[in-house]
Protein backbone atom coordinates (compact mmCIF):
# COMPACT_ATOMS: atom_id res chain seq x y z
CA UNK A 1 0.00 0.00 0.00
CA UNK A 2 1.30 3.51 -0.84
CA UNK A 3 2.45 5.89 1.89
CA UNK A 4 -0.09 7.95 3.81
CA UNK A 5 -0.23 11.74 3.78
CA UNK A 6 -2.36 14.37 5.50
CA UNK A 7 -5.11 16.21 3.65
CA UNK A 8 -8.13 18.45 4.12
CA UNK A 9 -11.21 16.77 2.64
CA UNK A 10 -14.60 18.37 1.92
CA UNK A 11 -17.53 15.97 1.74
CA UNK A 12 -21.28 16.43 1.24
CA UNK A 13 -24.19 14.23 2.36
CA UNK A 14 -27.43 13.45 0.47
CA UNK A 15 -29.01 16.61 1.92
CA UNK A 16 -26.07 18.61 0.51
CA UNK A 17 -24.74 19.44 3.98
CA UNK A 18 -21.01 20.08 3.70
CA UNK A 19 -18.42 18.72 6.16
CA UNK A 20 -14.68 19.42 6.25
CA UNK A 21 -12.16 17.11 7.95
CA UNK A 22 -8.44 16.71 8.42
CA UNK A 23 -7.79 13.15 7.15
CA UNK A 24 -5.08 10.72 6.06
CA UNK A 25 -5.13 9.48 2.47
CA UNK A 26 -2.90 7.39 0.22
CA UNK A 27 -1.74 8.15 -3.33
CA UNK A 28 -4.10 5.43 -4.60
CA UNK A 29 -6.98 7.69 -3.56
CA UNK A 30 -5.82 10.69 -5.64
CA UNK A 31 -7.52 11.64 -8.90
CA UNK A 32 -5.94 10.73 -12.27
CA UNK A 33 -3.07 12.80 -13.67
CA UNK A 34 0.32 12.27 -15.31
CA UNK A 35 2.44 14.02 -12.65
CA UNK A 36 2.56 13.36 -8.89
CA UNK A 37 3.95 16.12 -6.67
CA UNK A 38 5.12 16.10 -3.04
CA UNK A 39 3.49 19.35 -1.93
CA UNK A 40 5.80 21.55 0.15
CA UNK A 41 3.57 24.60 0.52
CA UNK A 42 0.14 25.88 -0.40
CA UNK A 43 -1.76 29.04 0.51
CA UNK A 44 -5.16 30.13 1.78
CA UNK A 45 -6.77 32.34 -0.85
CA UNK A 46 -10.21 33.98 -0.57
CA UNK A 47 -11.57 31.30 -2.92
CA UNK A 48 -10.26 28.56 -0.61
CA UNK A 49 -12.13 30.32 2.19
CA UNK A 50 -15.33 30.23 0.15
CA UNK A 51 -14.78 26.54 -0.68
CA UNK A 52 -14.12 25.43 2.92
CA UNK A 53 -16.88 27.51 4.52
CA UNK A 54 -19.27 26.54 1.69
CA UNK A 55 -20.30 30.21 1.36
CA UNK A 56 -20.13 30.02 -2.45
CA UNK A 57 -20.36 27.02 -4.78
CA UNK A 58 -16.61 26.91 -5.49
CA UNK A 59 -16.41 23.12 -5.06
CA UNK A 60 -18.17 21.39 -7.93
CA UNK A 61 -17.23 17.76 -7.23
CA UNK A 62 -17.41 15.89 -3.91
CA UNK A 63 -15.42 14.74 -2.09
CA UNK A 64 -12.80 17.43 -2.78
CA UNK A 65 -9.38 18.35 -1.46
CA UNK A 66 -9.45 22.17 -1.54
CA UNK A 67 -6.40 24.36 -2.20
CA UNK A 68 -6.26 26.23 -5.53
CA UNK A 69 -2.48 26.45 -5.62
CA UNK A 70 0.68 24.67 -4.45
CA UNK A 71 4.45 24.43 -4.80
CA UNK A 72 6.29 21.13 -4.57
CA UNK A 73 8.66 18.56 -6.04
CA UNK A 74 7.75 16.05 -8.75
CA UNK A 75 7.93 12.47 -7.41
CA UNK A 76 6.62 10.68 -10.52
CA UNK A 77 5.89 11.79 -14.09
CA UNK A 78 4.87 10.36 -17.43
CA UNK A 79 4.54 13.89 -18.86
CA UNK A 80 7.30 14.82 -21.36
CA UNK A 81 8.00 18.18 -19.70
CA UNK A 82 8.53 16.97 -16.11
CA UNK A 83 10.78 14.49 -14.32
CA UNK A 84 11.31 13.36 -10.74
CA UNK A 85 12.96 16.10 -8.67
CA UNK A 86 11.63 19.05 -10.71
CA UNK A 87 10.39 21.94 -8.57
CA UNK A 88 6.99 23.15 -9.74
CA UNK A 89 4.11 25.48 -8.94
CA UNK A 90 0.43 25.38 -9.87
CA UNK A 91 -2.39 27.94 -9.85
CA UNK A 92 -5.97 27.33 -10.84
CA UNK A 93 -7.11 25.09 -13.72
CA UNK A 94 -9.98 23.97 -11.45
CA UNK A 95 -7.60 22.46 -8.89
CA UNK A 96 -9.31 22.64 -5.49
CA UNK A 97 -12.66 23.05 -7.31
CA UNK A 98 -13.14 20.06 -9.63
CA UNK A 99 -9.74 18.34 -9.20
CA UNK A 100 -8.05 17.46 -5.87
CA UNK A 101 -6.00 20.45 -4.72
CA UNK A 102 -3.06 21.66 -2.68
CA UNK A 103 -4.18 21.11 0.93
CA UNK A 104 -2.57 17.66 0.96
CA UNK A 105 0.89 16.13 1.22
CA UNK A 106 0.59 14.82 -2.35
CA UNK A 107 -1.12 16.08 -5.49
CA UNK A 108 -1.62 14.28 -8.79
CA UNK A 109 -2.38 16.62 -11.69
CA UNK A 110 -1.99 17.12 -15.43
CA UNK A 111 1.57 18.14 -16.27
CA UNK A 112 0.08 20.75 -18.64
CA UNK A 113 -1.06 22.73 -15.57
CA UNK A 114 2.37 22.99 -13.96
CA UNK A 115 4.96 25.76 -14.23
CA UNK A 116 8.59 25.59 -13.12
CA UNK A 117 9.32 27.25 -9.77
CA UNK A 118 10.40 30.74 -10.90
CA UNK A 119 14.17 31.36 -10.92
CA UNK A 120 15.37 32.88 -7.67
CA UNK A 121 12.18 32.09 -5.74
CA UNK A 122 11.87 29.55 -2.93
CA UNK A 123 8.70 27.47 -2.66
CA UNK A 124 7.64 29.47 0.39
CA UNK A 125 8.14 32.73 -1.49
CA UNK A 126 6.17 31.40 -4.47
CA UNK A 127 3.29 30.57 -2.14
CA UNK A 128 3.61 33.91 -0.34
CA UNK A 129 2.72 35.24 -3.80
CA UNK A 130 0.24 32.44 -4.51
CA UNK A 131 -2.83 32.86 -6.66
CA UNK A 132 -3.66 36.23 -5.06
CA UNK A 133 -0.26 37.71 -5.93
CA UNK A 134 -0.14 36.18 -9.38
CA UNK A 135 -3.60 37.68 -10.03
CA UNK A 136 -2.30 41.07 -8.86
CA UNK A 137 0.50 40.74 -11.45
CA UNK A 138 -2.01 39.86 -14.20
CA UNK A 139 -3.98 42.98 -13.23
CA UNK A 140 -0.87 45.21 -13.38
CA UNK A 141 0.03 43.73 -16.78
CA UNK A 142 -3.51 44.45 -18.04
CA UNK A 143 -3.19 48.12 -16.98
CA UNK A 144 0.18 48.33 -18.74
CA UNK A 145 -1.25 46.81 -21.93
CA UNK A 146 -3.96 49.46 -21.82
CA UNK A 147 -1.34 52.20 -21.54
CA UNK A 148 -1.98 53.08 -17.89
CA UNK A 149 1.66 53.83 -17.10
CA UNK A 150 3.14 55.50 -13.99
CA UNK A 151 3.35 58.99 -15.54
CA UNK A 152 -0.43 59.17 -16.11
CA UNK A 153 -1.23 59.71 -12.43
CA UNK A 154 -2.29 57.81 -9.31
CA UNK A 155 -3.72 54.29 -9.41
CA UNK A 156 -6.14 53.00 -6.77
CA UNK A 157 -6.05 49.51 -5.22
CA UNK A 158 -9.17 48.34 -3.33
CA UNK A 159 -9.26 45.60 -0.69
CA UNK A 160 -5.78 46.93 -0.02
CA UNK A 161 -4.75 44.90 3.04
CA UNK A 162 -5.89 41.61 1.45
CA UNK A 163 -3.72 39.23 -0.56
CA UNK A 164 -4.38 40.66 -4.04
CA UNK A 165 -4.32 44.21 -2.67
CA UNK A 166 -1.06 43.89 -0.72
CA UNK A 167 0.86 42.38 -3.63
CA UNK A 168 -0.70 44.82 -6.12
CA UNK A 169 0.52 47.78 -4.02
CA UNK A 170 4.04 46.34 -3.75
CA UNK A 171 4.19 45.68 -7.52
CA UNK A 172 2.81 49.07 -8.56
CA UNK A 173 5.15 50.89 -6.15
CA UNK A 174 8.13 48.90 -7.48
CA UNK A 175 7.17 49.97 -11.01
CA UNK A 176 7.04 53.64 -10.02
CA UNK A 177 3.27 54.18 -9.81
CA UNK A 178 1.78 56.51 -7.21
CA UNK A 179 -0.57 54.19 -5.33
CA UNK A 180 -3.75 55.06 -3.43
CA UNK A 181 -4.93 52.24 -1.14
CA UNK A 182 -8.58 51.79 -0.18
CA UNK A 183 -9.08 49.85 3.03
CA UNK A 184 -11.63 49.09 5.73
CA UNK A 185 -8.72 48.78 8.17
CA UNK A 186 -7.37 52.28 8.62
CA UNK A 187 -5.40 50.90 11.58
CA UNK A 188 -3.21 49.20 8.95
CA UNK A 189 -2.09 52.51 7.44
CA UNK A 190 1.56 51.94 8.42
CA UNK A 191 1.51 48.48 6.79
CA UNK A 192 0.09 49.94 3.55
CA UNK A 193 2.59 52.80 3.48
CA UNK A 194 5.43 50.35 4.09
CA UNK A 195 4.23 48.41 1.01
CA UNK A 196 4.41 51.60 -1.04
CA UNK A 197 0.99 53.29 -0.78
CA UNK A 198 1.14 57.12 -0.89
CA UNK A 199 -2.53 57.85 -0.08
CA UNK A 200 -5.05 55.94 2.04
CA UNK A 201 -8.80 56.09 1.37
CA UNK A 202 -11.37 54.68 3.81
CA UNK A 203 -13.41 51.80 2.41
CA UNK A 204 -16.67 53.64 3.26
CA UNK A 205 -15.79 56.39 0.79
CA UNK A 206 -16.28 53.88 -2.03
CA UNK A 207 -18.64 51.20 -0.71
CA UNK A 208 -21.95 53.05 -1.02
CA UNK A 209 -24.05 53.64 -4.15
CA UNK A 210 -22.10 55.53 -6.83
CA UNK A 211 -22.96 58.55 -8.96
CA UNK A 212 -22.79 57.97 -12.73
CA UNK A 213 -19.70 60.21 -12.88
CA UNK A 214 -17.58 61.40 -9.97
CA UNK A 215 -14.50 63.58 -9.70
CA UNK A 216 -11.67 62.22 -11.92
CA UNK A 217 -9.11 61.05 -9.37
CA UNK A 218 -7.25 58.02 -10.69
CA UNK A 219 -5.60 57.05 -13.98
CA UNK A 220 -6.48 53.44 -13.23
CA UNK A 221 -7.39 50.91 -10.61
CA UNK A 222 -7.06 47.34 -9.44
CA UNK A 223 -10.28 46.23 -7.78
CA UNK A 224 -10.53 43.11 -5.61
CA UNK A 225 -13.93 44.08 -4.19
CA UNK A 226 -16.59 44.43 -6.94
CA UNK A 227 -20.13 45.74 -6.30
CA UNK A 228 -20.55 49.46 -5.34
CA UNK A 229 -16.80 49.81 -4.81
CA UNK A 230 -16.02 48.92 -8.43
CA UNK A 231 -18.86 51.18 -9.60
CA UNK A 232 -17.38 54.09 -7.62
CA UNK A 233 -13.85 53.42 -8.87
CA UNK A 234 -15.11 53.42 -12.48
CA UNK A 235 -16.98 56.68 -11.92
CA UNK A 236 -13.84 58.35 -10.51
CA UNK A 237 -11.39 57.10 -13.16
CA UNK A 238 -9.87 59.81 -15.37
CA UNK A 239 -10.63 60.18 -19.06
CA UNK A 240 -9.19 57.23 -21.06
CA UNK A 241 -8.19 55.29 -17.93
CA UNK A 242 -8.83 51.65 -17.07
CA UNK A 243 -9.79 49.50 -14.11
CA UNK A 244 -8.74 45.85 -13.77
CA UNK A 245 -11.49 43.93 -11.97
CA UNK A 246 -10.48 40.70 -10.31
CA UNK A 247 -12.54 40.18 -7.14
CA UNK A 248 -15.86 40.19 -5.35
CA UNK A 249 -15.10 40.70 -1.63
CA UNK A 250 -18.00 43.18 -1.37
CA UNK A 251 -20.24 41.43 -3.91
CA UNK A 252 -20.58 39.95 -7.37
CA UNK A 253 -22.98 42.65 -8.53
CA UNK A 254 -21.92 45.77 -10.42
CA UNK A 255 -24.46 48.55 -9.76
CA UNK A 256 -22.89 50.99 -12.24
CA UNK A 257 -23.97 53.07 -15.24
CA UNK A 258 -22.34 53.16 -18.66
CA UNK A 259 -21.45 56.85 -18.15
CA UNK A 260 -17.71 56.28 -17.44
CA UNK A 261 -17.44 54.12 -20.58
CA UNK A 262 -19.32 56.34 -23.04
CA UNK A 263 -18.46 59.78 -21.67
CA UNK A 264 -14.89 59.26 -20.47
CA UNK A 265 -13.70 56.31 -22.56
CA UNK A 266 -12.90 54.40 -19.39
CA UNK A 267 -12.24 50.65 -19.87
CA UNK A 268 -13.09 47.78 -17.57
CA UNK A 269 -10.47 45.02 -17.84
CA UNK A 270 -11.49 41.54 -16.68
CA UNK A 271 -8.85 39.46 -14.91
CA UNK A 272 -9.08 35.67 -14.68
CA UNK A 273 -6.23 33.72 -13.16
CA UNK A 274 -7.75 30.23 -13.36
CA UNK A 275 -7.74 29.58 -17.11
CA UNK A 276 -5.10 32.17 -18.09
CA UNK A 277 -2.96 30.79 -20.95
CA UNK A 278 0.52 29.46 -20.15
CA UNK A 279 2.58 32.22 -21.89
CA UNK A 280 0.77 34.86 -19.80
CA UNK A 281 1.39 32.85 -16.61
CA UNK A 282 5.08 32.45 -17.44
CA UNK A 283 5.42 36.19 -18.04
CA UNK A 284 3.53 37.02 -14.81
CA UNK A 285 5.68 34.71 -12.65
CA UNK A 286 8.93 35.88 -14.20
CA UNK A 287 7.98 39.51 -13.50
CA UNK A 288 6.87 38.65 -9.94
CA UNK A 289 10.27 37.06 -9.30
CA UNK A 290 12.11 40.14 -10.54
CA UNK A 291 9.86 42.86 -9.06
CA UNK A 292 9.07 41.62 -5.54
CA UNK A 293 11.48 42.18 -2.71
CA UNK A 294 11.69 38.82 -0.83
CA UNK A 295 11.88 40.63 2.53
CA UNK A 296 8.68 42.58 1.74
CA UNK A 297 7.02 39.37 0.59
CA UNK A 298 7.79 37.63 3.87
CA UNK A 299 6.64 40.71 5.80
CA UNK A 300 3.14 40.43 4.28
CA UNK A 301 2.92 36.67 4.96
CA UNK A 302 2.09 34.42 7.89
CA UNK A 303 2.61 30.67 7.93
CA UNK A 304 -0.02 28.22 9.15
CA UNK A 305 -0.15 24.42 9.36
CA UNK A 306 -2.64 22.21 7.53
CA UNK A 307 -4.76 21.85 10.69
CA UNK A 308 -5.11 25.67 10.90
CA UNK A 309 -6.58 25.93 7.40
CA UNK A 310 -10.20 25.58 8.63
CA UNK A 311 -10.04 28.58 10.97
CA UNK A 312 -7.99 30.51 8.40
CA UNK A 313 -10.82 29.92 5.91
CA UNK A 314 -13.30 31.58 8.30
CA UNK A 315 -10.91 34.45 8.87
CA UNK A 316 -10.28 35.21 5.20
CA UNK A 317 -13.98 35.19 4.31
CA UNK A 318 -14.59 37.40 7.37
CA UNK A 319 -12.02 39.93 6.08
CA UNK A 320 -9.72 39.35 9.07
CA UNK A 321 -6.58 38.24 7.22
CA UNK A 322 -3.86 40.78 6.43
CA UNK A 323 -1.65 39.97 3.43
CA UNK A 324 -0.98 36.35 2.58
CA UNK A 325 -1.26 33.01 4.38
CA UNK A 326 1.26 30.29 3.49
CA UNK A 327 0.30 26.71 4.37
CA UNK A 328 3.35 24.68 5.35
CA UNK A 329 2.92 21.03 4.36
P1 LIG B 1 -8.50 38.73 0.87
O1 LIG B 1 -9.58 38.30 1.78
O2 LIG B 1 -7.09 38.53 1.27
O3 LIG B 1 -8.67 40.28 0.52
C1 LIG B 1 -9.92 40.86 0.27
C2 LIG B 1 -9.93 42.24 0.90
O4 LIG B 1 -11.13 42.92 0.51
C3 LIG B 1 -9.99 42.22 2.43
O5 LIG B 1 -8.73 42.06 3.00
C4 LIG B 1 -10.56 43.59 2.72
O6 LIG B 1 -9.53 44.56 2.58
C5 LIG B 1 -11.54 43.80 1.55
N1 LIG B 1 -12.91 43.44 1.91
C6 LIG B 1 -13.35 42.33 2.56
N2 LIG B 1 -14.69 42.35 2.71
C7 LIG B 1 -15.10 43.51 2.15
C8 LIG B 1 -16.39 44.11 1.98
N3 LIG B 1 -17.49 43.53 2.43
N4 LIG B 1 -16.44 45.31 1.36
C9 LIG B 1 -15.34 45.92 0.89
N5 LIG B 1 -14.10 45.39 1.02
C10 LIG B 1 -13.99 44.20 1.63
O7 LIG B 1 -8.75 38.02 -0.53
P2 LIG B 1 -7.77 37.93 -1.79
O8 LIG B 1 -6.95 39.15 -1.85
O9 LIG B 1 -7.15 36.59 -1.82
O10 LIG B 1 -8.84 37.99 -2.97
C11 LIG B 1 -9.52 39.20 -3.23
C12 LIG B 1 -10.64 38.95 -4.22
O11 LIG B 1 -10.08 38.59 -5.47
C13 LIG B 1 -11.58 37.83 -3.83
O12 LIG B 1 -12.90 38.17 -4.17
C14 LIG B 1 -11.10 36.66 -4.67
O13 LIG B 1 -12.11 35.73 -4.92
C15 LIG B 1 -10.66 37.39 -5.92
N6 LIG B 1 -9.67 36.66 -6.72
C16 LIG B 1 -9.91 36.52 -8.04
C17 LIG B 1 -9.03 35.89 -8.85
C18 LIG B 1 -9.28 35.86 -10.30
O14 LIG B 1 -8.75 34.99 -11.00
N7 LIG B 1 -10.06 36.77 -10.83
C19 LIG B 1 -7.83 35.24 -8.30
C20 LIG B 1 -7.60 35.53 -6.89
C21 LIG B 1 -8.52 36.20 -6.14
P3 LIG B 1 -9.49 45.85 3.51
O15 LIG B 1 -9.72 45.37 4.92
O16 LIG B 1 -8.13 46.42 3.29
O17 LIG B 1 -10.59 46.76 3.05
Amino acid sequence: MSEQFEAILITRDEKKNQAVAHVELTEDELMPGDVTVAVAASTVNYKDGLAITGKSPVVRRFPMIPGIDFAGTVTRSSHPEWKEGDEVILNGWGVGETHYGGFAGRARVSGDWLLPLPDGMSMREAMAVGTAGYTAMLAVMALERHGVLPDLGPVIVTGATGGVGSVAIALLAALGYEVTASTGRISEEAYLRELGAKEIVAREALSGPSRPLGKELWAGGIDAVGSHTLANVLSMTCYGGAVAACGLAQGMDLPATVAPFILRGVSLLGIDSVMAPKPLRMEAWSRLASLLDPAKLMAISQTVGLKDVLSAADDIVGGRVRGRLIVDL
Side-chain angles (χ1 to χ4, degrees):
M1 200 173 98
S2 61
E3 213 180 298
Q4 288 199 313
F5 56 86
E6 289 179 274
I8 301 293
L9 195 68
I10 305 180
T11 53
R12 201 155 87 161
D13 65 18
E14 316 78 63
K15 290 187 178 145
K16 299 196 172 174
N17 293 316
Q18 179 169 310
V20 188
H22 179 249
V23 298
E24 297 227 317
L25 299 175
T26 65
E27 279 189 23
D28 303 338
E29 295 170 273
L30 289 174
M31 290 171 70
D34 50 12
V35 181
T36 306
V37 177
V39 179
S42 182
T43 83
V44 182
N45 293 279
Y46 191 86
K47 198 182 224 176
D48 300 313
L50 293 176
I52 289 173
T53 58
K55 287 223 163 102
S56 280
V58 168
V59 175
R60 298 190 301 284
R61 182 244 188 235
F62 293 89
M64 179 53 53
I65 298 175
I68 62 169
D69 47 19
F70 62 75
T73 306
V74 172
T75 59
R76 200 170 305 148
S77 170
S78 57
H79 188 281
E81 218 174 312
W82 308 109
K83 60 177 189 322
E84 191 183 335
D86 285 344
E87 295 185 314
V88 292
I89 58 169
L90 181 143
N91 304 102
W93 298 116
V95 167
E97 302 179 53
T98 54
H99 191 96
Y100 280 3
F103 295 156
R106 290 283 186 283
R108 189 181 295 127
V109 296
S110 163
D112 294 344
W113 300 339
L114 296 167
L115 294 183
L117 181 70
D119 276 346
M121 250 192 202
S122 69
M123 294 204 198
R124 274 173 58 78
E125 284 164 358
M127 288 300 103
V129 174
T131 297
Y134 142 70
T135 302
M137 189 73 244
L138 292 179
V140 172
M141 286 159 54
L143 290 181
E144 289 175 336
R145 276 198 304 277
H146 192 80
V148 179
L149 301 174
D151 57 350
L152 287 191
V155 167
I156 185 160
V157 174
T158 64
T161 64
V164 172
S166 296
V167 179
I169 294 168
L171 289 170
L172 289 167
L175 286 163
Y177 287 85
E178 187 182 325
V179 185
T180 300
S182 160
T183 182
R185 288 180 268 185
I186 292 293
S187 56
E188 296 291 355
E189 178 169 353
Y191 166 85
L192 294 169
R193 288 196 188 276
E194 186 63 28
L195 281 177
K198 283 273 175 324
E199 291 280 333
I200 313 290
V201 172
R203 182 194 290 177
E204 298 72 46
L206 298 173
S207 59
S210 71
R211 290 191 291 161
L213 291 176
K215 198 169 173 190
E216 291 174 75
L217 294 181
W218 304 298
I222 295 181
D223 176 62
V225 172
S227 192
H228 291 298
T229 303
L230 176 55
N232 273 300
V233 169
L234 286 167
S235 78
M236 296 182 201
T237 297
C238 298
Y239 194 93
V243 180
C246 62
L248 43 59
Q250 184 181 11
M252 209 188 226
D253 58 335
L254 179 53
T257 75
V258 295
F261 309 127
I262 64 173
L263 298 175
R264 288 190 182 152
V266 167
S267 294
L268 180 55
L269 313 174
I271 305 299
D272 168 58
S273 67
V274 179
M275 304 305 287
K278 199 164 176 179
L280 194 63
R281 290 169 185 260
M282 295 291 283
E283 186 189 345
W285 276 102
S286 139
R287 291 197 64 198
L288 282 158
S290 67
L291 282 171
L292 286 176
D293 169 5
K296 217 176 224 186
L297 200 49
M298 282 303 133
I300 67 165
S301 309
Q302 303 163 56
T303 302
V304 298
L306 198 58
K307 285 189 174 134
D308 308 316
V309 160
L310 272 57
S311 61
D314 277 330
D315 287 342
I316 199 160
V317 172
R320 293 184 295 275
V321 171
R322 186 184 86 174
R324 300 279 302 129
L325 286 174
I326 304 171
V327 182
D328 188 354
L329 269 303

